[in-house]
Amino acid sequence: MSRLCIIPLFKLLYRAIVFGLLLMLHAAPSVQAQSPALDSLRRLVQQTPSDTNRVLLLCQMSDQYWVLRVDSAAAYANQALALARRTGYRHGEGEALNRLGSVYRESNLAQALELFQQSLRLGEATHDLRLQAQNLRSIGIIYVYLRDRREGLSYYFRALCLGEKMHDEKRMVIELSNIGLAYDLYNEVDSSRIFQERAYQLARRIDTPTNYILYGLGQVARKQGRPTEALDFYRRSIRESKKLHHSRSTNFSCVGLATLYQQQGRLDSSIYYARLGYQAAQLNGFLRGVLNASLLLTQDFRTRGTVDSAFKYQGRVLAMKDTLFGQEKVMRLQGLSYREQQRAQQAIASQAMLKSRYQTYALLGGLAVLLLIVALLVRGRRQQHRANEALQASLAELKEAQLMLVQREKMAFLGELTAGVAHELQNPLGFVKQFAAASTGLVEEINGAQRLTHDGALDREILAGLKQNLQEISQHGQRATAIIKGMLEHARTGQAPRVSTDLNHLVQEYLCLAYDGVRQQDPQFTAQLTTHLEAAVPPVSVVAPDLGRAVLNLCTNALHAVRQRQKTADTSYQPQVTVSTQTQPDGAVAISIRDNGVGIPADEQTRIFEPFFTTKPMGEGTGLGLSLSHDIVKSHGGTLQVQSQEGEGTEFVLTLPAVPS
C-alpha cells in the first residue's frame, strides 16, 4: 500500500494523537529558565504598596514569561488587568490588555485582535503614544499572520512613525526589524535587507538585543545565496537567544539554520536543529514554531526514507494547520463581513448626509443670491474703490521692495568685489612690505648706522642685495597696478575675455576667500575644509572673475549652512565643507561643493535658482546669489545641479563642457 493511501486511512488517528500532544503541550509543566530579572520582579511585586506600580510590574512579569511560557504570561496579564480595572488605572488596563492579546495571538486570533483594539482605543483616549505604538505593532503582526500585506505593513509603519516621533530608539529597532521580517515573509528580500540592516546598526549603537535581527539577516543571506553569511547570522542569533532565555527567537533561528542545512543536503544537521527549534517552541507554547519545525522534520525524514518519523511529524503538521489556519480562515471571513457591514453603514450615512446637505445648500443658495444682489447694488462702487487703493498700495510696496533688494545686491556685490581686490592685492603688497623692510636695513648700514667691514666685496654684495630688493618692489608694485587696471577695465566694459584657467587653483583660491569672509562676520566660527582636486583636470577657457564669483557664492552658502547647523547641534558635530574637481568621461569638468549643514527642504529645492528666493533668515540674504551663479554657469555652456537632504547636508555640482582640442 502506497504512502498516499496510508495517510487518508489513519488521518483520524493522527489527529487524536496530536490532540493529546497539544494537551500535554499546554498542561504539562515545563522547565522554566530562571533569571535574575524574574526574581527581582517577584520581590518588587511583593514589596510595592502602590496599586498602579503593581499593575506595571505584573505586566513586566507577563513580558518575561511570554518568552518562556505563555500560560504563565496569561496568568500575570489577567492579574494586572483585574487590578487596573478595580483601581480605575486606564493606562495599566491598556498595558494589561495588550499583554493578554499577545498570549491569545497563538490560539485565538479573533480574541487577540479584539484585545489589541480595546487597548489601542484606551491609548488614543489617554493620548498615550507608547501604548498606541505597541498595539499598532501587535495588530500588524496579526495581519502579517493572515498574509494581508497592505494592512500588516500599514500598521507596522504607523508604529514606526510614532517611535520616531517619541525619539524612542529601542522601539524603532523593534519596528524596523518587524518590517524586515514581514518583507521576508512576502519574499521581498531586498526590502527586508534594508530594514534589517537599519535595525542592526541602530541596535548596535544603543546596545540593545539583536537576536531577532540576526535571524532576519540570516534569512536574507540564505535567500540571496550567501550560505556562509547566513550560517554565521543564524548561529549568532541562537547564542544570543539562549543567553537571553528567549525560546521564540531560538525557535526561529534553529528552524532557519535547519532550512539552510536542508538546502545544502546536510540532513543530519537539518534534523538536529529542527528538533532544537521544535523543543524551544514546545517549551514556550509557540504553536506556529511547532508547525514550522514539524514541516522541516517531515520533509527531512521523507528524504531519508524514515517513514515512521515522517509519519509522526506529518500528523503534528496536520493538527497545527487545523488549529492555526482554521482560525485564520474564520478571521478572514469575519474581516470580509465586517468590511461589508462598514461599507453598507457608510453608504447609508452618506446618503442621509447628502440629502441633508442638499437641503442646506438649497436654503443657503437662495439666501446667498439675495445677499449677493444687495451687496452688488449697495457696495459695488465702494468695493471697487477699495480694491483700486489696495492695488496701488501693493504696487508701491512691491516697487519699494524691489529697489531695496536691488540695492542690497549691489552692496553685496560691492563687498565681494572689495574682498576680491583685497585678496588679489594682499600677496604683491606683502612682498613689497617685506622687501622694503629688508632694503631699509641695508640703507641703514650704508648710512653708517652700523659699521661696515671695509670689505669691498661685502659692500658690493650689500649694494647688489639692495638693488635686487628694489627690483622686487618694482615688480610686485607693477603686479598690483595691473590687477587694479584689469578690474577697472572690466568695470568700464562690463565684459571680459575668456582665458585658459587652472580650475584647481581657482577653486582653492575662492574657497579660502569665502572662508575668510565668513570668519570676518563670525571670528569664533571654524570649519574643516577638505579639497580633492584631480591633478589631471585640464585648463578650461572661462571668464575667471565671473566663474570665481559663482564658486565664491556656492562656498559661502555651504559655510553658512554648516554654521547654521552648528548653532543647534551637539558638541560632537564638526562643520565640514568638501570641494573636489573631476574630469568626466566625455571630457567635461565637474566642480563639487558638498557640506554637512542643515540641508534644503525638498519642496524648496526646485526654487533655489529663482531670483529673489532665499532660504536664509530675513536680512541675511538677497536671493540673488544662486540665481546669478546659475546664470554665470549657463553662460559658459555648463550646468549647476543640487542634491540635498534636510538635516544631512547639500551638494552643488558645477559642470563645464569639454573644450574642443
Side-chain angles (χ1 to χ4, degrees), residues 71-93:
D71 53 356
S72 299
Y76 282 105
N78 278 314
Q79 290 182 36
L81 180 60
L83 181 58
R85 286 176 172 172
R86 188 167 65 249
T87 58
Y89 183 29
R90 301 188 71 192
H91 170 75
E93 182 180 355

mmCIF file with all atom_site columns, all heavy atoms in Angstrom, residues 71-93:
data_model
loop_
_atom_site.group_PDB
_atom_site.id
_atom_site.type_symbol
_atom_site.label_atom_id
_atom_site.label_alt_id
_atom_site.label_comp_id
_atom_site.label_asym_id
_atom_site.label_entity_id
_atom_site.label_seq_id
_atom_site.pdbx_PDB_ins_code
_atom_site.Cartn_x
_atom_site.Cartn_y
_atom_site.Cartn_z
_atom_site.occupancy
_atom_site.B_iso_or_equiv
_atom_site.pdbx_formal_charge
_atom_site.auth_seq_id
_atom_site.auth_comp_id
_atom_site.auth_asym_id
_atom_site.auth_atom_id
_atom_site.pdbx_PDB_model_num
ATOM 1   N N   . ASP A 1 71 ? 1.291   30.321 29.161 1.00 0.00 ? 71 ASP A N   1
ATOM 2   C CA  . ASP A 1 71 ? 0.235   30.192 30.161 1.00 0.00 ? 71 ASP A CA  1
ATOM 3   C C   . ASP A 1 71 ? 0.559   31.013 31.408 1.00 0.00 ? 71 ASP A C   1
ATOM 4   O O   . ASP A 1 71 ? -0.317  31.636 32.019 1.00 0.00 ? 71 ASP A O   1
ATOM 5   C CB  . ASP A 1 71 ? -0.017  28.721 30.511 1.00 0.00 ? 71 ASP A CB  1
ATOM 6   C CG  . ASP A 1 71 ? 1.261   27.990 30.910 1.00 0.00 ? 71 ASP A CG  1
ATOM 7   O OD1 . ASP A 1 71 ? 2.343   28.612 30.838 1.00 0.00 ? 71 ASP A OD1 1
ATOM 8   O OD2 . ASP A 1 71 ? 1.172   26.805 31.280 1.00 0.00 ? 71 ASP A OD2 1
ATOM 9   N N   . SER A 1 72 ? 1.841   31.026 31.812 1.00 0.00 ? 72 SER A N   1
ATOM 10  C CA  . SER A 1 72 ? 2.238   31.873 32.942 1.00 0.00 ? 72 SER A CA  1
ATOM 11  C C   . SER A 1 72 ? 2.101   33.350 32.589 1.00 0.00 ? 72 SER A C   1
ATOM 12  O O   . SER A 1 72 ? 1.677   34.169 33.414 1.00 0.00 ? 72 SER A O   1
ATOM 13  C CB  . SER A 1 72 ? 3.680   31.564 33.346 1.00 0.00 ? 72 SER A CB  1
ATOM 14  O OG  . SER A 1 72 ? 3.818   30.218 33.749 1.00 0.00 ? 72 SER A OG  1
ATOM 15  N N   . ALA A 1 73 ? 2.439   33.694 31.334 1.00 0.00 ? 73 ALA A N   1
ATOM 16  C CA  . ALA A 1 73 ? 2.279   35.086 30.897 1.00 0.00 ? 73 ALA A CA  1
ATOM 17  C C   . ALA A 1 73 ? 0.819   35.498 30.967 1.00 0.00 ? 73 ALA A C   1
ATOM 18  O O   . ALA A 1 73 ? 0.490   36.626 31.379 1.00 0.00 ? 73 ALA A O   1
ATOM 19  C CB  . ALA A 1 73 ? 2.812   35.245 29.478 1.00 0.00 ? 73 ALA A CB  1
ATOM 20  N N   . ALA A 1 74 ? -0.098  34.595 30.596 1.00 0.00 ? 74 ALA A N   1
ATOM 21  C CA  . ALA A 1 74 ? -1.533  34.914 30.649 1.00 0.00 ? 74 ALA A CA  1
ATOM 22  C C   . ALA A 1 74 ? -1.995  35.144 32.083 1.00 0.00 ? 74 ALA A C   1
ATOM 23  O O   . ALA A 1 74 ? -2.802  36.049 32.360 1.00 0.00 ? 74 ALA A O   1
ATOM 24  C CB  . ALA A 1 74 ? -2.329  33.785 30.004 1.00 0.00 ? 74 ALA A CB  1
ATOM 25  N N   . ALA A 1 75 ? -1.499  34.340 33.018 1.00 0.00 ? 75 ALA A N   1
ATOM 26  C CA  . ALA A 1 75 ? -1.908  34.478 34.413 1.00 0.00 ? 75 ALA A CA  1
ATOM 27  C C   . ALA A 1 75 ? -1.541  35.855 34.960 1.00 0.00 ? 75 ALA A C   1
ATOM 28  O O   . ALA A 1 75 ? -2.363  36.535 35.599 1.00 0.00 ? 75 ALA A O   1
ATOM 29  C CB  . ALA A 1 75 ? -1.270  33.375 35.252 1.00 0.00 ? 75 ALA A CB  1
ATOM 30  N N   . TYR A 1 76 ? -0.310  36.291 34.714 1.00 0.00 ? 76 TYR A N   1
ATOM 31  C CA  . TYR A 1 76 ? 0.109   37.601 35.220 1.00 0.00 ? 76 TYR A CA  1
ATOM 32  C C   . TYR A 1 76 ? -0.620  38.730 34.510 1.00 0.00 ? 76 TYR A C   1
ATOM 33  O O   . TYR A 1 76 ? -0.942  39.771 35.110 1.00 0.00 ? 76 TYR A O   1
ATOM 34  C CB  . TYR A 1 76 ? 1.619   37.763 35.073 1.00 0.00 ? 76 TYR A CB  1
ATOM 35  C CG  . TYR A 1 76 ? 2.392   37.011 36.136 1.00 0.00 ? 76 TYR A CG  1
ATOM 36  C CD1 . TYR A 1 76 ? 3.052   35.815 35.834 1.00 0.00 ? 76 TYR A CD1 1
ATOM 37  C CD2 . TYR A 1 76 ? 2.455   37.488 37.438 1.00 0.00 ? 76 TYR A CD2 1
ATOM 38  C CE1 . TYR A 1 76 ? 3.750   35.118 36.803 1.00 0.00 ? 76 TYR A CE1 1
ATOM 39  C CE2 . TYR A 1 76 ? 3.149   36.800 38.418 1.00 0.00 ? 76 TYR A CE2 1
ATOM 40  C CZ  . TYR A 1 76 ? 3.793   35.612 38.096 1.00 0.00 ? 76 TYR A CZ  1
ATOM 41  O OH  . TYR A 1 76 ? 4.479   34.936 39.061 1.00 0.00 ? 76 TYR A OH  1
ATOM 42  N N   . ALA A 1 77 ? -0.903  38.577 33.197 1.00 0.00 ? 77 ALA A N   1
ATOM 43  C CA  . ALA A 1 77 ? -1.642  39.613 32.471 1.00 0.00 ? 77 ALA A CA  1
ATOM 44  C C   . ALA A 1 77 ? -3.059  39.752 33.029 1.00 0.00 ? 77 ALA A C   1
ATOM 45  O O   . ALA A 1 77 ? -3.581  40.870 33.171 1.00 0.00 ? 77 ALA A O   1
ATOM 46  C CB  . ALA A 1 77 ? -1.680  39.280 30.980 1.00 0.00 ? 77 ALA A CB  1
ATOM 47  N N   . ASN A 1 78 ? -3.710  38.629 33.354 1.00 0.00 ? 78 ASN A N   1
ATOM 48  C CA  . ASN A 1 78 ? -5.060  38.687 33.931 1.00 0.00 ? 78 ASN A CA  1
ATOM 49  C C   . ASN A 1 78 ? -5.055  39.346 35.307 1.00 0.00 ? 78 ASN A C   1
ATOM 50  O O   . ASN A 1 78 ? -5.965  40.110 35.654 1.00 0.00 ? 78 ASN A O   1
ATOM 51  C CB  . ASN A 1 78 ? -5.646  37.274 34.021 1.00 0.00 ? 78 ASN A CB  1
ATOM 52  C CG  . ASN A 1 78 ? -6.239  36.808 32.700 1.00 0.00 ? 78 ASN A CG  1
ATOM 53  O OD1 . ASN A 1 78 ? -6.966  37.558 32.061 1.00 0.00 ? 78 ASN A OD1 1
ATOM 54  N ND2 . ASN A 1 78 ? -5.921  35.585 32.292 1.00 0.00 ? 78 ASN A ND2 1
ATOM 55  N N   . GLN A 1 79 ? -4.023  39.059 36.109 1.00 0.00 ? 79 GLN A N   1
ATOM 56  C CA  . GLN A 1 79 ? -3.923  39.719 37.417 1.00 0.00 ? 79 GLN A CA  1
ATOM 57  C C   . GLN A 1 79 ? -3.785  41.234 37.252 1.00 0.00 ? 79 GLN A C   1
ATOM 58  O O   . GLN A 1 79 ? -4.427  42.019 37.963 1.00 0.00 ? 79 GLN A O   1
ATOM 59  C CB  . GLN A 1 79 ? -2.718  39.177 38.186 1.00 0.00 ? 79 GLN A CB  1
ATOM 60  C CG  . GLN A 1 79 ? -2.855  37.741 38.673 1.00 0.00 ? 79 GLN A CG  1
ATOM 61  C CD  . GLN A 1 79 ? -1.620  37.309 39.459 1.00 0.00 ? 79 GLN A CD  1
ATOM 62  O OE1 . GLN A 1 79 ? -1.029  38.092 40.185 1.00 0.00 ? 79 GLN A OE1 1
ATOM 63  N NE2 . GLN A 1 79 ? -1.246  36.046 39.281 1.00 0.00 ? 79 GLN A NE2 1
ATOM 64  N N   . ALA A 1 80 ? -2.936  41.647 36.301 1.00 0.00 ? 80 ALA A N   1
ATOM 65  C CA  . ALA A 1 80 ? -2.731  43.077 36.067 1.00 0.00 ? 80 ALA A CA  1
ATOM 66  C C   . ALA A 1 80 ? -4.019  43.733 35.580 1.00 0.00 ? 80 ALA A C   1
ATOM 67  O O   . ALA A 1 80 ? -4.372  44.845 36.004 1.00 0.00 ? 80 ALA A O   1
ATOM 68  C CB  . ALA A 1 80 ? -1.612  43.278 35.039 1.00 0.00 ? 80 ALA A CB  1
ATOM 69  N N   . LEU A 1 81 ? -4.761  43.053 34.697 1.00 0.00 ? 81 LEU A N   1
ATOM 70  C CA  . LEU A 1 81 ? -5.996  43.625 34.158 1.00 0.00 ? 81 LEU A CA  1
ATOM 71  C C   . LEU A 1 81 ? -7.046  43.798 35.259 1.00 0.00 ? 81 LEU A C   1
ATOM 72  O O   . LEU A 1 81 ? -7.701  44.842 35.351 1.00 0.00 ? 81 LEU A O   1
ATOM 73  C CB  . LEU A 1 81 ? -6.530  42.727 33.042 1.00 0.00 ? 81 LEU A CB  1
ATOM 74  C CG  . LEU A 1 81 ? -7.821  43.175 32.366 1.00 0.00 ? 81 LEU A CG  1
ATOM 75  C CD1 . LEU A 1 81 ? -7.643  44.540 31.715 1.00 0.00 ? 81 LEU A CD1 1
ATOM 76  C CD2 . LEU A 1 81 ? -8.268  42.148 31.327 1.00 0.00 ? 81 LEU A CD2 1
ATOM 77  N N   . ALA A 1 82 ? -7.193  42.784 36.098 1.00 0.00 ? 82 ALA A N   1
ATOM 78  C CA  . ALA A 1 82 ? -8.185  42.869 37.178 1.00 0.00 ? 82 ALA A CA  1
ATOM 79  C C   . ALA A 1 82 ? -7.849  44.005 38.144 1.00 0.00 ? 82 ALA A C   1
ATOM 80  O O   . ALA A 1 82 ? -8.727  44.780 38.557 1.00 0.00 ? 82 ALA A O   1
ATOM 81  C CB  . ALA A 1 82 ? -8.253  41.534 37.914 1.00 0.00 ? 82 ALA A CB  1
ATOM 82  N N   . LEU A 1 83 ? -6.570  44.124 38.522 1.00 0.00 ? 83 LEU A N   1
ATOM 83  C CA  . LEU A 1 83 ? -6.164  45.177 39.454 1.00 0.00 ? 83 LEU A CA  1
ATOM 84  C C   . LEU A 1 83 ? -6.338  46.558 38.827 1.00 0.00 ? 83 LEU A C   1
ATOM 85  O O   . LEU A 1 83 ? -6.789  47.508 39.494 1.00 0.00 ? 83 LEU A O   1
ATOM 86  C CB  . LEU A 1 83 ? -4.709  44.955 39.872 1.00 0.00 ? 83 LEU A CB  1
ATOM 87  C CG  . LEU A 1 83 ? -4.123  45.963 40.868 1.00 0.00 ? 83 LEU A CG  1
ATOM 88  C CD1 . LEU A 1 83 ? -4.958  45.995 42.147 1.00 0.00 ? 83 LEU A CD1 1
ATOM 89  C CD2 . LEU A 1 83 ? -2.665  45.607 41.186 1.00 0.00 ? 83 LEU A CD2 1
ATOM 90  N N   . ALA A 1 84 ? -6.004  46.701 37.536 1.00 0.00 ? 84 ALA A N   1
ATOM 91  C CA  . ALA A 1 84 ? -6.126  48.002 36.870 1.00 0.00 ? 84 ALA A CA  1
ATOM 92  C C   . ALA A 1 84 ? -7.583  48.438 36.793 1.00 0.00 ? 84 ALA A C   1
ATOM 93  O O   . ALA A 1 84 ? -7.919  49.613 37.020 1.00 0.00 ? 84 ALA A O   1
ATOM 94  C CB  . ALA A 1 84 ? -5.515  47.927 35.470 1.00 0.00 ? 84 ALA A CB  1
ATOM 95  N N   . ARG A 1 85 ? -8.485  47.503 36.468 1.00 0.00 ? 85 ARG A N   1
ATOM 96  C CA  . ARG A 1 85 ? -9.910  47.859 36.384 1.00 0.00 ? 85 ARG A CA  1
ATOM 97  C C   . ARG A 1 85 ? -10.490 48.159 37.765 1.00 0.00 ? 85 ARG A C   1
ATOM 98  O O   . ARG A 1 85 ? -11.357 49.035 37.906 1.00 0.00 ? 85 ARG A O   1
ATOM 99  C CB  . ARG A 1 85 ? -10.670 46.729 35.703 1.00 0.00 ? 85 ARG A CB  1
ATOM 100 C CG  . ARG A 1 85 ? -10.419 46.669 34.194 1.00 0.00 ? 85 ARG A CG  1
ATOM 101 C CD  . ARG A 1 85 ? -11.104 45.497 33.535 1.00 0.00 ? 85 ARG A CD  1
ATOM 102 N NE  . ARG A 1 85 ? -11.004 45.584 32.077 1.00 0.00 ? 85 ARG A NE  1
ATOM 103 C CZ  . ARG A 1 85 ? -11.383 44.620 31.244 1.00 0.00 ? 85 ARG A CZ  1
ATOM 104 N NH1 . ARG A 1 85 ? -11.895 43.476 31.738 1.00 0.00 ? 85 ARG A NH1 1
ATOM 105 N NH2 . ARG A 1 85 ? -11.262 44.772 29.944 1.00 0.00 ? 85 ARG A NH2 1
ATOM 106 N N   . ARG A 1 86 ? -10.017 47.455 38.749 1.00 0.00 ? 86 ARG A N   1
ATOM 107 C CA  . ARG A 1 86 ? -10.529 47.689 40.101 1.00 0.00 ? 86 ARG A CA  1
ATOM 108 C C   . ARG A 1 86 ? -10.126 49.066 40.627 1.00 0.00 ? 86 ARG A C   1
ATOM 109 O O   . ARG A 1 86 ? -10.872 49.709 41.360 1.00 0.00 ? 86 ARG A O   1
ATOM 110 C CB  . ARG A 1 86 ? -10.011 46.585 41.041 1.00 0.00 ? 86 ARG A CB  1
ATOM 111 C CG  . ARG A 1 86 ? -10.665 46.640 42.430 1.00 0.00 ? 86 ARG A CG  1
ATOM 112 C CD  . ARG A 1 86 ? -10.388 45.390 43.242 1.00 0.00 ? 86 ARG A CD  1
ATOM 113 N NE  . ARG A 1 86 ? -8.986  45.239 43.564 1.00 0.00 ? 86 ARG A NE  1
ATOM 114 C CZ  . ARG A 1 86 ? -8.187  44.302 43.059 1.00 0.00 ? 86 ARG A CZ  1
ATOM 115 N NH1 . ARG A 1 86 ? -8.680  43.406 42.209 1.00 0.00 ? 86 ARG A NH1 1
ATOM 116 N NH2 . ARG A 1 86 ? -6.909  44.227 43.393 1.00 0.00 ? 86 ARG A NH2 1
ATOM 117 N N   . THR A 1 87 ? -8.945  49.526 40.236 1.00 0.00 ? 87 THR A N   1
ATOM 118 C CA  . THR A 1 87 ? -8.448  50.818 40.721 1.00 0.00 ? 87 THR A CA  1
ATOM 119 C C   . THR A 1 87 ? -8.696  51.958 39.737 1.00 0.00 ? 87 THR A C   1
ATOM 120 O O   . THR A 1 87 ? -8.347  53.101 40.018 1.00 0.00 ? 87 THR A O   1
ATOM 121 C CB  . THR A 1 87 ? -6.935  50.724 41.006 1.00 0.00 ? 87 THR A CB  1
ATOM 122 O OG1 . THR A 1 87 ? -6.251  50.313 39.802 1.00 0.00 ? 87 THR A OG1 1
ATOM 123 C CG2 . THR A 1 87 ? -6.664  49.718 42.103 1.00 0.00 ? 87 THR A CG2 1
ATOM 124 N N   . GLY A 1 88 ? -9.269  51.658 38.572 1.00 0.00 ? 88 GLY A N   1
ATOM 125 C CA  . GLY A 1 88 ? -9.540  52.703 37.583 1.00 0.00 ? 88 GLY A CA  1
ATOM 126 C C   . GLY A 1 88 ? -8.290  53.237 36.908 1.00 0.00 ? 88 GLY A C   1
ATOM 127 O O   . GLY A 1 88 ? -8.274  54.386 36.439 1.00 0.00 ? 88 GLY A O   1
ATOM 128 N N   . TYR A 1 89 ? -7.255  52.426 36.819 1.00 0.00 ? 89 TYR A N   1
ATOM 129 C CA  . TYR A 1 89 ? -5.976  52.837 36.219 1.00 0.00 ? 89 TYR A CA  1
ATOM 130 C C   . TYR A 1 89 ? -6.042  52.512 34.720 1.00 0.00 ? 89 TYR A C   1
ATOM 131 O O   . TYR A 1 89 ? -5.758  51.401 34.299 1.00 0.00 ? 89 TYR A O   1
ATOM 132 C CB  . TYR A 1 89 ? -4.840  52.096 36.906 1.00 0.00 ? 89 TYR A CB  1
ATOM 133 C CG  . TYR A 1 89 ? -3.453  52.476 36.427 1.00 0.00 ? 89 TYR A CG  1
ATOM 134 C CD1 . TYR A 1 89 ? -3.172  53.734 35.926 1.00 0.00 ? 89 TYR A CD1 1
ATOM 135 C CD2 . TYR A 1 89 ? -2.409  51.549 36.503 1.00 0.00 ? 89 TYR A CD2 1
ATOM 136 C CE1 . TYR A 1 89 ? -1.912  54.073 35.499 1.00 0.00 ? 89 TYR A CE1 1
ATOM 137 C CE2 . TYR A 1 89 ? -1.135  51.872 36.089 1.00 0.00 ? 89 TYR A CE2 1
ATOM 138 C CZ  . TYR A 1 89 ? -0.892  53.137 35.580 1.00 0.00 ? 89 TYR A CZ  1
ATOM 139 O OH  . TYR A 1 89 ? 0.365   53.459 35.151 1.00 0.00 ? 89 TYR A OH  1
ATOM 140 N N   . ARG A 1 90 ? -6.411  53.505 33.884 1.00 0.00 ? 90 ARG A N   1
ATOM 141 C CA  . ARG A 1 90 ? -6.687  53.255 32.471 1.00 0.00 ? 90 ARG A CA  1
ATOM 142 C C   . ARG A 1 90 ? -5.434  52.892 31.683 1.00 0.00 ? 90 ARG A C   1
ATOM 143 O O   . ARG A 1 90 ? -5.468  52.037 30.801 1.00 0.00 ? 90 ARG A O   1
ATOM 144 C CB  . ARG A 1 90 ? -7.364  54.480 31.849 1.00 0.00 ? 90 ARG A CB  1
ATOM 145 C CG  . ARG A 1 90 ? -8.683  54.859 32.526 1.00 0.00 ? 90 ARG A CG  1
ATOM 146 C CD  . ARG A 1 90 ? -9.397  55.933 31.748 1.00 0.00 ? 90 ARG A CD  1
ATOM 147 N NE  . ARG A 1 90 ? -9.924  55.421 30.496 1.00 0.00 ? 90 ARG A NE  1
ATOM 148 C CZ  . ARG A 1 90 ? -10.397 56.184 29.514 1.00 0.00 ? 90 ARG A CZ  1
ATOM 149 N NH1 . ARG A 1 90 ? -10.394 57.502 29.650 1.00 0.00 ? 90 ARG A NH1 1
ATOM 150 N NH2 . ARG A 1 90 ? -10.866 55.657 28.413 1.00 0.00 ? 90 ARG A NH2 1
ATOM 151 N N   . HIS A 1 91 ? -4.331  53.569 31.988 1.00 0.00 ? 91 HIS A N   1
ATOM 152 C CA  . HIS A 1 91 ? -3.089  53.210 31.290 1.00 0.00 ? 91 HIS A CA  1
ATOM 153 C C   . HIS A 1 91 ? -2.698  51.761 31.592 1.00 0.00 ? 91 HIS A C   1
ATOM 154 O O   . HIS A 1 91 ? -2.338  50.991 30.688 1.00 0.00 ? 91 HIS A O   1
ATOM 155 C CB  . HIS A 1 91 ? -1.965  54.151 31.702 1.00 0.00 ? 91 HIS A CB  1
ATOM 156 C CG  . HIS A 1 91 ? -0.601  53.713 31.218 1.00 0.00 ? 91 HIS A CG  1
ATOM 157 N ND1 . HIS A 1 91 ? -0.208  53.840 29.905 1.00 0.00 ? 91 HIS A ND1 1
ATOM 158 C CD2 . HIS A 1 91 ? 0.445   53.126 31.874 1.00 0.00 ? 91 HIS A CD2 1
ATOM 159 C CE1 . HIS A 1 91 ? 1.014   53.353 29.772 1.00 0.00 ? 91 HIS A CE1 1
ATOM 160 N NE2 . HIS A 1 91 ? 1.431   52.921 30.947 1.00 0.00 ? 91 HIS A NE2 1
ATOM 161 N N   . GLY A 1 92 ? -2.775  51.370 32.860 1.00 0.00 ? 92 GLY A N   1
ATOM 162 C CA  . GLY A 1 92 ? -2.445  49.989 33.220 1.00 0.00 ? 92 GLY A CA  1
ATOM 163 C C   . GLY A 1 92 ? -3.399  48.992 32.583 1.00 0.00 ? 92 GLY A C   1
ATOM 164 O O   . GLY A 1 92 ? -3.001  47.888 32.207 1.00 0.00 ? 92 GLY A O   1
ATOM 165 N N   . GLU A 1 93 ? -4.675  49.375 32.455 1.00 0.00 ? 93 GLU A N   1
ATOM 166 C CA  . GLU A 1 93 ? -5.636  48.489 31.791 1.00 0.00 ? 93 GLU A CA  1
ATOM 167 C C   . GLU A 1 93 ? -5.241  48.261 30.335 1.00 0.00 ? 93 GLU A C   1
ATOM 168 O O   . GLU A 1 93 ? -5.297  47.140 29.827 1.00 0.00 ? 93 GLU A O   1
ATOM 169 C CB  . GLU A 1 93 ? -7.036  49.110 31.865 1.00 0.00 ? 93 GLU A CB  1
ATOM 170 C CG  . GLU A 1 93 ? -8.111  48.235 31.236 1.00 0.00 ? 93 GLU A CG  1
ATOM 171 C CD  . GLU A 1 93 ? -9.486  48.879 31.318 1.00 0.00 ? 93 GLU A CD  1
ATOM 172 O OE1 . GLU A 1 93 ? -9.605  49.958 31.945 1.00 0.00 ? 93 GLU A OE1 1
ATOM 173 O OE2 . GLU A 1 93 ? -10.431 48.304 30.754 1.00 0.00 ? 93 GLU A OE2 1
#
